[in-house]
Amino acid sequence: MIVCKFGGTSVQDAEAMERVACVIKQRLKQKPIVVASAMGRTTDGLLKAASLAADGKKQEALEQVTRLREKHLRETQKLLSGSSRGDVLDAISLHFKEVGTLMRGLAVLGELTPRSMDAIASFGERLSTLILAHVFEERGIRSQLMDSRQCIITDENFTRAAPLFELTEAAIREQLGPAVKSGRVPVVQGFIGSTRNGITTTIGRGGSDYTAAIVGAALDAYDIQIWTDVDGIMTTDPRMVPEARRVKVISFDEAAELAYFGARVLHPATILPAVRKKIPVHVLNSYKPDQDGTLITDETPPCENPVKSIAYKKGITIVNIASTRMLMAHGFLKKIFEIFDLHKTPVDVVSTSEVSVSLTLDDTSTLFDVVTELKKIGEVNVDGGKAIVCCVGDHLRNIPGVAHLVFSALQDVNVHMISQGASAINVTFVIDEDRLPAAVRGLHDVFFQKLDSRIFE
Ligand code: ADP
Ligand code: ASP
Ligand code: MG
C-alpha cells in the first residue's frame, strides 16, 4: 500500500483534481491512500476571513467566505455531472453556511482564539476531500471519504497540535485498515485532527505532508509520495533561482535539515515517522506524473558535490546576550536556554564567544517576555530583518575548502552569524534579509557549477 499526498496547488481547481484522479487510477494496484490539502489558498482565505470578522469587519469577512464558496461550487460543477452532483453541491453550501455562522460568532466576540482558528481552517481540507472523493467515484475509482479527526488524535496545542502517537496509530489502523481491505481508496484530510475530546485541531501550516507520513508509518506503507507543483526537491527554491535542478536522491537527514531551515517543499516533521519505519518518501510533480521526482531514503549513493541543496528562511531576528560575568563562569548558557524553554520559544542557530551568545528566532511572539528575563543576566540586543541560509549535504564533512567556497560566494554580503551544524551536514549563516536573493544565487552558482549526474538531473 502507498500513501499519496496532494498539496494545495495539486488540488487547486478542476483540472488539477482531474490530474489527481489520473495519478490514482494509474496506481490502483499499489493500493493508494489519498491525503489531500485544501484547494490552493483556501486555508489562507479562511484564516483571513476569520481575522477580519474578529476585527469587527464582518461584511468583508462574509464577502471573503462567499468568494471561497463560489470557487468551490464552480470547480465542482466542472468536475461532476452524475447523480451525486446535486448532493455534493448542497453539502458544500452547508459547510459554508457553518463557516458563515462561525464568522458571525467571531464578529460578536471580537476575539480569534487558536481553537476557533483550527475550527475554521479545518473546512479547507474537509471541502477538498469531499469533492475529490466524489470525483474519484465518477471516474470509476471506488473511494471512501474518511474523517481525519477520528484518526489523528492530538494534544490541545491548537494551530500546532502534536499527534499522540499511540492513540493515532491505533485509530488509523482501525479507521483506514478496513477501507483499504475492502479495495476502496480512502480519501483523508491532511493537516487536521482532533483532541481526545473530539475538538478539531490542526498540526501546523503545511502539515498535510506530516499527516501523510503518520498514516504511512501507522500502516507500514511501502512508499510515501508527496505530490506537489515542482519536480521534486531542487538544488534550491526554484522561485528564487529558476535554474535550480532536481536532486534525484537525498538522505533522510539531509531532507530533514532542509525542511527545518525553510525548504517549504516538505514539512519538517514529515521525515520522522518515515525514518522510524524506514519508509522511502518520494517528492513528485503532479503536473508531470511520469517523472521520477526525488527519492528520500536512508542510503544514498556518493556525491561529488559537497552541497545537495540550499534552503533559506526569512523573517529572522537575532538576539544577542553579552555579559562579562560569563567569562570563566559556568551555568550561563543553561540560564539562557532555560528562559527560552520557559517561554516555549524555539531557537534555530546559536553561536557563542567568550562573553556573548547570539541566537536566532523566527517566532517573535514571546520576544518581549524573553528579553525582559534575559536582561536580568546580561546586556541584550535585538536585531530583526535577517534571513538564515543553510547549505546541506552529507559530504560537507569530508570535503575540504567548503568555508572558502561559501565566503567566495558571499563576498558582498555581511554575514552576522555562521555555524557548522553539529551533524556536520550543514553550513548555516545569518545575513540581512535584503541580501538574500544575491546570497542564494551566489551560493547556487558556486556549488552547482558542475553536477554529479548520479545525484542531479
Ligand atoms: P504543496 O502545496 O504541494 O504542499 P508547497 O508550496 O508547500 O506545496 O511546497 C512547494 C514549494 O516549495 C515549491 O513551489 C517551491 O517554491 C518551494 N521550495 C522551497 N525550497 C524548495 C526546494 N529546495 N525544492 C523544491 N521546492 C522548494
Ligand atoms: N492547508 C494547510 C495549509 O495551507 C495544510 C497544507 O496545505 O499542508 O497550511
Ligand atoms: Mg506544503
Side-chain angles (χ1 to χ4, degrees):
M1 173 240 311
I2 59 172
V3 177
C4 300
K5 175 262 171 177
F6 295 90
T9 46
S10 301
V11 294
Q12 67 184 358
D13 54 23
E15 285 106 81
M17 290 214 192
E18 205 71 77
R19 271 192 295 274
V20 171
C22 285
V23 167
I24 295 305
K25 213 163 191 180
Q26 284 168 0
R27 285 165 180 74
L28 284 176
K29 277 209 188 98
Q30 292 165 277
K31 298 205 184 103
I33 294 178
V34 171
V35 174
S37 292
M39 290 172 75
R41 289 194 290 277
T42 302
T43 312
D44 285 339
L46 288 166
L47 291 174
K48 184 170 165 227
S51 91
L52 284 168
D55 281 349
K57 298 175 186 149
K58 188 173 84 180
Q59 214 41 48
E60 277 177 60
L62 292 175
E63 279 162 23
Q64 169 81 18
V65 173
T66 304
R67 279 195 292 278
L68 288 171
R69 174 172 165 267
E70 279 166 4
K71 176 178 153 191
H72 282 80
L73 291 173
R74 186 180 62 235
E75 299 308 314
T76 306
Q77 277 162 346
K78 289 190 213 161
L79 283 160
L80 299 178
S81 57
S83 57
S84 64
R85 186 181 201 233
D87 291 344
V88 178
L89 293 173
D90 286 349
I92 293 172
S93 294
L94 215 61
H95 276 71
F96 277 104
K97 211 170 156 193
E98 239 182 279
V99 175
T101 307
L102 287 170
M103 293 296 159
R104 287 188 190 85
L106 290 177
V108 172
L109 291 171
E111 189 196 7
L112 182 57
T113 61
R115 178 170 162 170
S116 340
M117 284 167 80
D118 283 355
I120 287 163
S122 75
F123 281 89
E125 271 69 12
R126 286 155 65 191
L127 286 155
S128 65
T129 49
L130 166 74
I131 301 168
L132 203 53
H134 285 89
V135 171
F136 285 175
E137 284 287 329
E138 268 204 13
R139 309 294 182 272
I141 303 165
R142 291 175 63 226
S143 70
Q144 185 167 341
L145 178 61
M146 311 301 301
D147 187 343
S148 289
R149 293 170 297 176
Q150 287 170 20
C151 302
I152 309 290
I153 313 301
T154 72
D155 65 13
E156 270 110 43
N157 191 9
F158 294 101
T159 74
R160 281 179 198 190
L164 304 170
F165 277 99
E166 269 178 39
L167 289 174
T168 296
E169 296 215 329
I172 289 173
R173 284 191 203 113
E174 194 186 305
Q175 298 282 325
L176 296 182
V180 177
K181 275 210 188 90
S182 73
R184 294 186 174 269
V185 174
V187 180
V188 179
Q189 301 80 28
F191 179 55
I192 70 175
S194 82
T195 66
R196 270 172 290 199
N197 299 326
I199 316 286
T200 300
T201 53
T202 66
I203 58 174
R205 293 303 307 267
S208 298
D209 299 342
Y210 191 19
T211 308
I214 295 169
V215 169
L219 297 174
D220 287 316
Y222 167 77
D223 194 18
I224 296 167
Q225 303 182 347
I226 307 292
W227 290 86
T228 183
D229 63 343
V230 284
D231 289 349
I233 294 184
M234 312 290 284
T235 47
T236 190
D237 186 350
R239 285 184 211 202
M240 183 73 98
V241 180
E243 304 79 47
R245 305 286 286 269
R246 175 168 68 96
V247 184
K248 292 194 245 182
V249 51
I250 197 164
S251 69
F252 281 128
D253 289 346
E254 290 169 319
E257 210 81 23
L258 281 172
Y260 186 70
F261 284 105
R264 200 183 47 188
V265 64
L266 208 63
H267 185 283
T270 307
I271 298 294
L272 297 173
V275 173
R276 231 175 276 147
K277 292 262 173 97
K278 294 203 171 176
I279 302 172
V281 178
H282 277 93
V283 180
L284 297 153
N285 190 343
S286 66
Y287 293 78
K288 302 177 193 164
D290 298 325
Q291 289 195 353
D292 292 337
T294 299
L295 167 64
I296 311 173
T297 175
D298 66 340
E299 272 172 40
T300 54
C303 176
E304 276 164 23
N305 293 65
V307 171
K308 289 226 180 90
S309 185
I310 304 164
Y312 62 84
K313 227 183 198 179
K314 295 186 203 173
I316 298 297
T317 299
I318 298 181
V319 179
N320 181 273
I321 308 108
S323 170
T324 41
R325 271 178 288 158
M326 182 179 173
L327 203 63
M328 316 294 282
H330 64 89
F332 185 68
L333 285 175
K334 178 166 174 267
K335 271 191 216 146
I336 290 177
F337 285 109
E338 270 169 0
I339 294 171
F340 284 93
D341 186 43
L342 188 71
H343 294 281
K344 296 200 172 76
T345 304
V347 167
D348 286 332
V349 184
V350 182
S351 72
T352 65
S353 75
E354 197 96 54
V355 290
S356 77
V357 180
S358 296
L359 317 119
T360 67
L361 312 178
D362 71 347
D363 175 0
T364 50
S365 55
T366 57
L367 190 61
F368 180 82
D369 295 337
V370 166
V371 169
T372 307
E373 288 292 313
L374 288 174
K375 278 187 175 158
K376 293 180 190 161
I377 53 174
E379 201 177 300
V380 183
N381 248 307
V382 176
D383 200 4
K386 301 284 175 280
I388 293 178
V389 180
C390 179
C391 299
V392 177
D394 266 345
H395 297 281
L396 272 174
R397 67 184 98 170
N398 310 328
I399 299 180
V402 170
H404 167 73
L405 286 175
V406 169
F407 283 107
S408 72
L410 295 179
Q411 267 168 13
D412 312 320
V413 179
N414 192 3
V415 176
H416 296 279
M417 288 167 70
I418 181 156
S419 111
Q420 175 136 21
S423 58
I425 68 163
N426 78 56
V427 181
T428 304
F429 33 89
V430 184
I431 59 174
D432 293 327
E433 200 175 291
D434 57 4
R435 303 298 291 145
L436 185 63
V440 175
R441 266 190 218 118
L443 287 162
H444 196 269
D445 286 349
V446 165
F447 282 115
F448 300 111
Q449 229 168 30
K450 271 202 234 142
L451 294 174
D452 185 333
S453 62
R454 288 169 297 190
I455 303 293
F456 303 97
E457 188 184 64

